[in-house]
Structure formats: C-alpha cells, structure tokens
Amino acid sequence: MTGAYEGIQIANCAINVLLSYTAITLNTITILALRKTSLSSPLKTLLLSLAVSDLGVGLLVQPLYVASFVMESEGNSSASYNFVIKSYDMIVVFLCVASFLGVTALSVDRFLAIHLHLRYQAIVTHKRVVASVVSIWVLSAVISQTALRIRQVTFLMFGTISVICLISSAFFYYKIYVTVQRHANQIQVLQLQPRQGDNEMVEYNARLKKAAIGTFYVYLVFLICNLPNTLFFLIPSNLVHQSADLGTILSLADTLVFLNSSLNPLIYCWKMRHIRQAIMEMLRKIYLGPQHSYN
C-alpha cells in the first residue's frame, strides 16, 4: 500500500468505528421508540424493518469492514482473513438488499396510502405488510448466500436490484407528488364551498402528506448515500482493484453507504412527530424518572 492510500484508509476506518457506535445507539433507541408510537401498523412495521437493517450495519458490517482492512494491511492471507472477507460479503449483501427493498416498500406504502385514500386500511393490512417484510428478508438471505459461491454474480444481482429500487422509489414519490397536488386543488375548492365532514378529510390529507414527506426524506438521503456506490457496479471489478485511486474512492463510497444507517434515525426524529415524542419520552424516563414522562 502507498502511504497516502494507507493514511486515507486508516482515517476511513476510524470514521467507521465512530459510525458503528452511532448506528447501534441511534437505531436501538429508534426501535424501542417505534414500538411505543401510535403510527399505523403498516408504516411502523416497515420502519422497524429498516431500523433493524440499519442496526445490523452498525453491529456487524462496519466491524467486519474495519477488521478486513486491519488484516489486509498486516498482509494477512490466512483462513481467518478469508472467513472475515466472506462473512463481510454475505452480510453486507444481505442487509443492503433488505435496505433497498425496504425503502422501496416504504415508498409503495406511502403511495398506496395517498392513492387509495379511505380504502387504504382495508387493502394494506398489518398481516400483508408483515408477509411482505418477511419476503424481503428471505429474498435478501437467498441472494446473500450466493456470495459464498459466486461472488461476481451476487454483486451483479445486487447492482441490478439497487438500480431498480432507486428508480422505482423515485417513480412512486413522483406519483405521490402528483396526487398530493391534486388533493391540494380539491381542498381549495372545498374551502370555497364548505360542507359537513370536509374538515375531517382535510386533516386526514394533511396527515398523509406529512407522512409522505417524512419517508421522502428517508429516500432522498438513501439515494445520496447509495448512488456513488451503485455507480461503481458499472465499472469492471478488476479495473477498480488495479487502480489505487478508484479503490480509495470505492472505500469512501462504502463509508457513505454506512453513514446512511446513522442518518435514518435522525430523519425519523426530525420529520415524524410520533417518533420524536416517543424518543423524548424515553429519554425523560431515563434521565428524570418515570414521574416526568409525558401524559
């Protein structure tokens, strides 16, 4: 390794150690808070699934990432090093595929909530969402298992899934935007000609819009963090490994992907009032005692 490359990688590993801690801490708090919120069951289930995958990144992926660099820098080519590399490949594919599919499922759920309107609760039931989440994790596990056998095929499949998910989510959020704009025009008409029950419909639409905006920020940050890494799938892997500059950029792109796991809980707290209130109540109970919790 060159001195400059090794220095960047050491700094990169130090950042990943810090991000691993924040991902574990923030996502653990988020998972506990989500269980106490009054969010709709489908949305809560999808957010829990995403938080679990983010927790896995901090708990498993980033420690293995740092361990692989340390062993590589020491010239270690033993069986333990091969085990770390294979474990990293399998787990990172498993959790990243689950994250991509989870974010896409979140966009589909918010689209259906706004598009179906009052029929949403009858069609998008808790059991169906749980079945979808289980299917996502099973599919992720199946794809990750091929990483132990055919590494190139696995990453080709992962790259294809990444692109499809990012484009699909963008399409659904565009459809959400169009639907919200149509509802806004309808609300203006209702305000000019008010009727009984119109206020309830306006409030319902406002809640759906806020939830859609919150999940859109999740997608936007997810896109920013994952797009550079996804673009590397267009570059032949042998070219990446032969170029020190490309290898450095790829390692930084990996860290950007991992950063997303620490940012998601902050987005939930910032844009979703129910989650923010649940977290604040938990923190008050921890630091001030149960008697100071919110009513």
Side-chain angles (χ1 to χ4, degrees):
M1 291 186 184
T2 63
Y5 173 76
E6 186 173 0
I8 293 173
Q9 286 291 68
I10 291 173
N12 195 33
C13 286
I15 292 171
N16 274 281
V17 170
L18 176 62
L19 291 178
S20 175
Y21 174 77
T22 58
I24 293 170
T25 304
L26 295 176
N27 283 288
T28 299
I29 293 172
T30 300
I31 290 170
L32 294 174
L34 278 168
R35 295 177 60 189
K36 300 177 181 295
T37 63
S38 57
L39 289 172
S40 64
S41 295
L43 180 58
K44 185 188 297 187
T45 302
L46 292 171
L47 290 175
L48 276 170
S49 176
L50 200 55
V52 169
S53 63
D54 287 336
L55 176 62
V57 169
L59 200 60
L60 299 172
V61 173
Q62 289 176 287
L64 287 172
Y65 180 84
V66 173
S68 65
F69 168 74
V70 172
M71 298 175 78
E72 181 183 356
S73 63
E74 294 176 350
N76 195 327
S77 58
S78 62
S80 58
Y81 173 71
N82 292 330
F83 174 77
V84 168
I85 292 297
K86 287 184 177 181
S87 298
Y88 171 79
D89 286 346
M90 183 179 67
I91 295 172
V92 76
V93 170
F94 174 57
L95 293 174
C96 286
V97 170
S99 293
F100 271 95
L101 294 176
V103 168
T104 304
L106 201 57
S107 66
V108 173
D109 174 74
R110 292 300 86 195
F111 167 74
L112 291 176
I114 288 180
H115 183 70
L116 296 175
H117 204 54
L118 298 178
R119 294 180 295 154
Y120 169 77
Q121 293 182 345
I123 296 175
V124 184
T125 63
H126 179 58
K127 288 184 179 180
R128 288 175 179 173
V129 172
V130 170
S132 299
V133 168
V134 171
S135 299
I136 285 172
W137 284 96
V138 170
L139 177 60
S140 302
V142 170
I143 293 174
S144 69
Q145 286 299 311
T146 62
L148 296 175
R149 302 175 180 85
I150 316 173
R151 192 172 188 267
Q152 294 302 322
V153 173
T154 301
F155 283 94
L156 178 62
M157 291 171 62
F158 175 56
T160 303
I161 290 172
S162 302
V163 172
I164 291 174
C165 287
L166 291 176
I167 293 175
S168 299
S169 296
F171 170 77
F172 283 114
Y173 279 113
Y174 168 74
K175 297 295 288 184
I176 288 171
Y177 171 78
V178 172
T179 305
V180 167
Q181 287 298 106
R182 186 172 68 250
H183 285 175
N185 294 333
Q186 291 172 349
I187 289 171
Q188 288 181 349
V189 174
L190 292 175
Q191 289 174 340
L192 294 175
Q193 300 175 347
R195 295 175 298 178
Q196 186 177 3
D198 286 346
N199 289 335
E200 288 80 1
M201 185 161 63
V202 170
E203 291 176 2
Y204 181 74
N205 285 334
R207 289 197 300 270
L208 290 180
K209 182 179 178 180
K210 286 182 180 179
I213 291 174
T215 57
F216 172 72
Y217 275 97
V218 172
Y219 166 72
L220 184 61
V221 172
F222 186 84
L223 175 64
I224 293 170
C225 290
N226 284 273
L227 187 58
N229 190 274
T230 301
L231 293 176
F232 266 92
F233 288 105
L234 302 177
I235 304 175
S237 60
N238 61 327
L239 183 61
V240 174
H241 292 300
Q242 290 172 4
S243 171
D245 291 336
L246 285 177
T248 301
I249 295 172
L250 177 59
S251 66
L252 296 176
D254 288 339
T255 299
L256 189 61
V257 173
F258 303 151
L259 171 64
N260 183 235
S261 296
S262 295
L263 293 179
N264 277 339
L266 300 178
I267 298 171
Y268 303 152
C269 188
W270 172 41
K271 299 303 298 183
M272 300 183 184
R273 178 174 55 85
H274 295 289
I275 298 177
R276 183 170 62 250
Q277 288 178 343
I279 291 175
M280 292 301 295
E281 183 175 357
M282 285 175 51
L283 294 178
R284 285 176 68 90
K285 286 182 177 179
I286 292 172
Y287 291 106
L288 300 177
Q291 66 274 18
H292 292 279
S293 62
Y294 293 128
N295 294 328

